[in-house]
Amino acid sequence: MPERTVHTGDGVAFLARGRLPDDHAIFTSLPDHSELPTLGVPAWKTWFVETVTLACNAIADDAVAIFYQTDVKYDGRWIDKGHLVLTGAEAAGSHALWHKIVCRVPAGMTTFGRPAYAHVICVSRERRLSPGASSPDVLPALGKMTWSRAMGSAACDVAIAFIASTGARTVVDPFCGQGTALAAANAHGLDAIGVELSKRRAAKARGTGST
């Protein structure tokens, strides 16, 4: 049976401890600026990019890190988190293997505050993909969300299935929330390690079932 360990603590401090084992991959969604209100938006952007860099540096050269992020509107302007992810990845010497768009609502529908799509971006320093390894760039639906800030289950399944195909044995989510990514990893037969600052959410992540 795959194992799941959830630590109550700071995901940045966890990543800063050093390089993860070679068979570990990262799949996570970094907090929005609204979840770190003391920083302010400019400082949060810097924090976001630096944390992506830290995550990319925490994995082996051939391992992958996947980021699930939804853009947000602030002061009448979009904050493009896909751009922030790729900026942080480039600073770590990592490159995009794929960048998928996930429809949060049916195509053609107008949304407010958050866009109708989310980004799922996979990066690595050394791994390369052959043309035959291509997969759909647009996912038609998020899938089930277990709470308001959760990653959609369908998008999780795509990300975790790819991680499994790389030979990774453990998925690490340093900002695991209520454990959607961890549950998806376990459902695919992979061990999972989560870190969550909130004791309440960490407790739920320890018991979250398959998504």
Side-chain angles (χ1 to χ4, degrees):
M1 291 290 292
E3 297 181 354
R4 184 187 313 183
T5 303
V6 179
H7 303 285
T8 303
D10 181 3
V12 173
F14 177 87
L15 291 171
R17 295 192 314 187
R19 184 70 64 89
L20 295 167
D22 289 354
D23 63 352
H24 285 41
I26 288 177
F27 178 37
T28 194
S29 180
L30 272 62
D32 187 53
H33 70 86
S34 62
E35 299 174 80
L36 300 171
T38 60
L39 287 181
V41 171
W44 166 80
K45 287 182 179 180
T46 299
W47 175 90
F48 190 106
V49 170
E50 290 177 348
T51 302
V52 170
T53 301
L54 187 62
C56 291
N57 282 330
I59 57 175
D61 288 344
D62 197 46
V64 300
I66 301 180
F67 300 89
Y68 175 106
Q69 305 291 163
T70 303
D71 296 344
V72 66
K73 185 177 286 186
Y74 177 77
D75 192 27
R77 300 174 179 175
W78 284 114
I79 297 174
D80 184 347
K81 293 182 187 175
H83 167 69
L84 297 179
V85 167
L86 293 173
T87 299
E90 184 175 357
S94 296
H95 307 275
L97 295 182
W98 44 258
H99 182 170
K100 300 184 186 300
I101 296 298
V102 188
C103 296
R104 300 180 63 245
V105 299
M109 180 178 291
T110 299
T111 59
F112 300 90
R114 288 180 179 268
Y117 58 87
H119 304 274
V120 187
I121 302 174
C122 177
V123 301
S124 177
R125 280 189 298 281
E126 295 297 334
R127 184 172 291 273
R128 300 291 187 270
L129 293 185
S130 67
S134 297
S135 57
D137 296 315
V138 179
L139 306 181
L142 287 177
K144 180 182 177 182
M145 295 176 63
T146 56
W147 64 302
S148 61
R149 295 187 183 275
M151 302 186 227
S153 60
C156 278
D157 283 340
V158 169
I160 296 296
F162 180 79
I163 287 173
S165 76
T166 69
R169 300 300 300 270
T170 301
V171 174
V172 178
D173 184 350
F175 305 97
C176 72
Q178 295 187 11
T180 303
L182 310 183
N186 288 163
H188 283 262
L190 303 180
D191 293 337
I193 299 172
V195 184
E196 172 53 46
L197 196 59
S198 164
K199 292 182 179 179
R200 178 181 58 83
R201 288 196 290 264
K204 290 189 175 182
R206 293 183 185 102
T208 300
S210 174
T211 56

